[in-house]
Amino acid sequence: PEIGYYRRGKERVGYGEETDFFTASTSGAVFGELVSASCASLLAGHGADPGDFHFVEIGAESAGGILAGVKHPFARASVIKLGDALSFSGRCVVFSNELFDAQPCRSFVRRGPAWLEIGVGEKDGALVEVELGPVTAPWLPSECAEGYRFDAPRAAADFAGLIARQPWTGLFVAMDYGKSHAELAESCPEGTLRAYHRHTQGNDLLSCPGEQDLTCHVCWDWIRSALDSAGFGSVRLESQEAFFVEHAGDFIARSIAAEAERLSRRKLSLLQLLHPAHLGQKFQALHAYR
């Protein structure tokens, strides 16, 4: 609680000088409205009435979550914040935004025929990376070049399994940035672990513990597998742009028509969330139904 980046009472998200990054929720109420419209559409596609469902946001940055102040069709909405018990049941929409990329990650480097796990040690009063003993695991790539770094977000997959095993039915929606296992194993020789401090990306993960955001790309194949094992069907991965355009197209059309004669903050927020040069392609949405 005193030094943990996500535990301390520190302003992390936004556009201010003291913040480190911004996310879709920084766009204000329009993000919650888009998510609400998309989830209602997906539920209707499964023949379900949104009014029968409890909207649960896991890992909400703000006290009220993305639906605070947003008119929505759900029976009720609540948030589960860091440190809260993970407990919910019944008919639910379980939503998260940039939850899984913030989970602990294991990192490995290829040395000869073996994978060595990367740990953290201390040298001359500073934290340094150290290479630990060889590791074998079925999810480590079988062949990679010398020095290839494989960052494995296993905790994110375990957390997805924990969420899926709760006694609930309904819609799962996770918005995050990630890659397939093949992409992580073949196209990311430097790994995907990164640090963000004052809106600047860096690779020195140990330079200022507790003062910078550490993040790792999600392995979508592992999240999908966790959902499959828990009986979810219709598992689908889309870009954030495609997700909103397909499932909240009517809402977007109405919003643009209402702001047609002016360049408003609301229209700029829509542009930021949908345009492929902004957040539209950087983020993906994985959704499934049980």
Side-chain angles (χ1 to χ4, degrees):
E2 289 79 24
I3 63 173
Y5 181 78
Y6 286 100
R7 291 278 187 174
R8 289 189 298 127
K10 176 185 186 300
E11 188 178 10
R12 300 179 298 271
V13 184
Y15 300 106
E17 292 183 0
E18 299 299 314
T19 63
D20 297 313
F21 60 92
F22 66 87
T23 180
S25 59
T26 316
S27 300
V30 68
F31 179 61
E33 292 168 352
L34 280 166
V35 170
S36 175
S38 299
C39 291
S41 174
L42 283 165
L43 288 173
H46 288 285
D49 180 355
D52 295 333
F53 288 78
H54 172 199
F55 186 96
V56 181
E57 182 179 356
I58 301 178
E61 279 287 342
S62 60
I66 64 164
L67 294 189
V70 171
K71 185 178 180 180
H72 62 77
F74 309 109
R76 62 190 178 104
S78 62
V79 301
I80 296 177
K81 303 192 73 175
L82 183 65
D84 293 346
L86 189 68
S87 178
F88 49 91
S89 60
R91 307 185 80 183
C92 298
V93 175
V94 177
F95 172 81
S96 66
N97 180 55
E98 290 197 69
L99 170 69
F100 293 105
D101 69 78
Q103 302 307 305
C105 176
R106 298 175 67 184
S107 191
F108 303 86
V109 63
R110 186 77 172 195
R111 298 298 184 209
W115 285 102
L116 304 185
E117 185 157 13
I118 299 174
V120 179
E122 185 269 340
K123 182 179 181 181
D124 300 328
L127 296 177
V128 295
E129 287 190 350
V130 293
E131 295 181 5
L132 307 175
V135 175
T136 58
W139 36 262
L140 283 169
S142 58
E143 294 184 11
C144 278
E146 175 72 17
Y148 195 99
R149 187 159 177 160
F150 184 77
D151 293 326
R154 296 298 305 171
D158 293 340
F159 193 29
L162 181 62
I163 292 171
R165 289 192 298 273
Q166 299 299 309
W168 66 282
T169 59
L171 180 66
F172 173 96
V173 179
M175 308 196 79
D176 224 312
Y177 47 87
K179 296 180 180 294
S180 68
H181 184 271
E183 289 174 313
L184 294 173
E186 300 169 7
S187 306
C188 303
E190 301 299 323
T192 66
L193 267 168
R194 299 291 184 266
Y196 285 90
H197 185 64
R198 302 294 188 266
H199 295 275
T200 300
Q201 178 181 298
N203 295 322
D204 190 349
L205 307 178
L206 306 177
S207 63
C208 46
E211 297 293 332
Q212 61 181 358
D213 176 41
L214 301 183
T215 180
C216 176
H217 275 61
V218 173
C219 179
W220 288 121
D221 293 335
W222 293 346
I223 304 295
R224 182 191 296 268
S225 179
L227 296 173
D228 286 339
S229 297
F232 280 84
S234 306
V235 183
R236 187 176 173 188
L237 179 66
E238 302 173 279
S239 69
Q240 179 171 293
E241 173 193 14
F243 177 78
F244 284 141
V245 169
E246 179 175 351
H247 306 295
D250 290 343
F251 169 81
I252 294 170
R254 290 194 303 271
S255 298
I256 292 175
E259 307 283 333
E261 297 181 358
R262 60 195 181 108
L263 185 61
S264 64
R265 179 177 295 275
R266 184 178 178 82
K267 188 182 291 185
L268 289 174
S269 294
L270 278 170
L271 177 65
Q272 183 183 54
L273 291 167
L274 299 175
H275 198 284
H278 296 290
L279 302 181
Q281 287 294 326
K282 179 180 179 181
F283 287 84
Q284 296 92 50
L286 184 75
H287 56 93
Y289 190 81
R290 176 174 62 184

